[in-house]
Amino acid sequence: MGIANLWSPLALTDSERAERRHSWFSAFGRLKPGVNLAQASAEATAIFGRLEKQYPRTDTNQTVLVSPMADAIRTNEGGPQVLICFWIVGLVLLIACANVANLMLARATRRVKEFALRSALGATRRRLARQLLTESLLLFFFGGVAGTVVGALGMNWLQSMVPGHIRGFLVNYGRVNLDFTTLGFTLGVALLCGLVFGVAPAFENSGPDLTCALKEASGQASGARRGVRLRKTFVAGEIALAVIVLVATTLLVRSFI
């Protein structure tokens, strides 16, 4: 549905107004506060029932379908492409999270002597894990804030590139506004990713001991080997996700062409 600068009445002739067999209008409406979709659908069905009794020759077996506008947007021609873009963005997010988790794991491995010393001074494993998770959450939180700022700037740039003569045919006149729902979703995703991808480094490096730390210097620690295996797992996951993104993006570009 487009937002136009000016609405003018539809000029119909007397014969067109009397003709009831044509149903080529699409109606958009906003639900009254306190009215749900089921109530609106029931009321519309009742109206069409009265019209069927009033005009049995033309309105028999005529009905109405009341559905959310979001469903209409998803079922349009561009709906599958938008959904594919959404999943591609999600896969890129997973790649970035795996990369950050890999870097955090490598950094935490280099701090194994620090953690061993903290443990010797009385720090519990839960306390060390909480410290690593806090660092992870802060990193992802500030990353989400930075991403939101960059996304808002990029969105404004894309809006400025839309030609003026087609804006009237676009939803909301070609404008996309950030709201608290979008910001809350972004913040929630950032914190969730920080929590999920910070668990592995926190679990791997929260329980060292002095013996392990001394062996770490000579490369004999089993914990170091476990850290290497875990980092290799992250790298393998990144490569697999990158291949999926590459294939999906190629197919998407071909579909657009």
Side-chain angles (χ1 to χ4, degrees), residues 1-251:
M1 181 177 112
I3 305 298
N5 290 328
L6 175 66
W7 291 95
S8 60
L10 182 64
L12 296 176
T13 64
D14 294 338
S15 60
E16 288 174 337
R17 283 195 295 269
E19 179 58 57
R20 302 187 55 83
R21 290 187 174 89
H22 299 310
S23 55
W24 45 275
F25 282 112
S26 296
F28 297 88
R30 187 183 302 274
L31 291 178
K32 184 185 298 184
V35 177
N36 57 34
L37 191 65
Q39 292 172 334
S41 179
E43 185 175 351
T45 302
I47 292 175
F48 270 72
R50 292 194 296 269
L51 290 175
E52 182 177 2
K53 295 179 181 180
Q54 187 175 358
Y55 304 98
R57 189 172 61 89
T58 58
D59 287 35
T60 301
N61 296 328
Q62 295 293 324
T63 185
V64 60
L65 175 63
V66 180
S67 62
M69 189 174 181
D71 293 346
I73 294 175
R74 282 194 294 265
T75 55
N76 283 341
E77 186 176 354
Q81 287 84 351
V82 173
L83 186 60
I84 293 175
C85 288
F86 180 82
W87 284 109
I88 288 177
V89 170
L91 291 176
V92 172
L93 174 63
L94 287 178
I95 293 174
C97 290
N99 193 20
V100 172
N102 202 356
L103 295 175
M104 292 176 58
L105 186 62
R107 179 175 179 270
T109 302
R110 291 195 297 269
R111 299 170 61 190
V112 65
K113 293 183 179 180
E114 173 194 341
F115 297 144
L117 181 58
R118 288 175 180 268
S119 179
L121 293 176
T124 62
R125 182 168 186 174
R126 179 177 298 179
R127 184 180 181 88
L128 294 176
R130 188 164 60 242
Q131 175 188 345
L132 289 171
L133 280 177
T134 301
E135 295 175 359
S136 173
L137 290 175
L138 286 175
L139 178 63
F140 276 85
F141 172 77
F142 287 113
V145 172
T148 302
V149 173
V150 174
L153 295 176
M155 186 175 60
N156 292 332
W157 177 77
L158 288 176
Q159 292 176 9
S160 66
M161 299 296 291
V162 178
H165 65 278
I166 69 170
R167 287 185 179 273
F169 298 96
L170 300 177
V171 176
N172 201 25
Y173 206 63
R175 291 190 296 268
V176 180
N177 301 319
L178 286 176
D179 55 12
F180 288 106
T181 302
T182 305
L183 295 177
F185 176 78
T186 304
L187 177 61
V189 169
L191 294 180
L192 179 62
C193 291
L195 181 62
V196 172
F197 287 90
V199 167
F203 179 78
E204 182 69 23
N205 297 278
S206 61
D209 53 31
L210 292 175
T211 303
C212 180
L214 292 175
K215 290 182 179 180
E216 180 74 19
S218 59
Q220 299 176 356
S222 59
R225 291 193 294 269
R226 289 198 304 270
V228 170
R229 288 196 298 268
L230 190 56
R231 292 198 296 272
K232 288 183 178 180
T233 302
F234 276 122
V235 172
E238 291 179 53
I239 295 174
L241 291 174
V243 171
I244 296 175
V245 170
L246 180 62
V247 173
T249 305
T250 303
L251 295 176

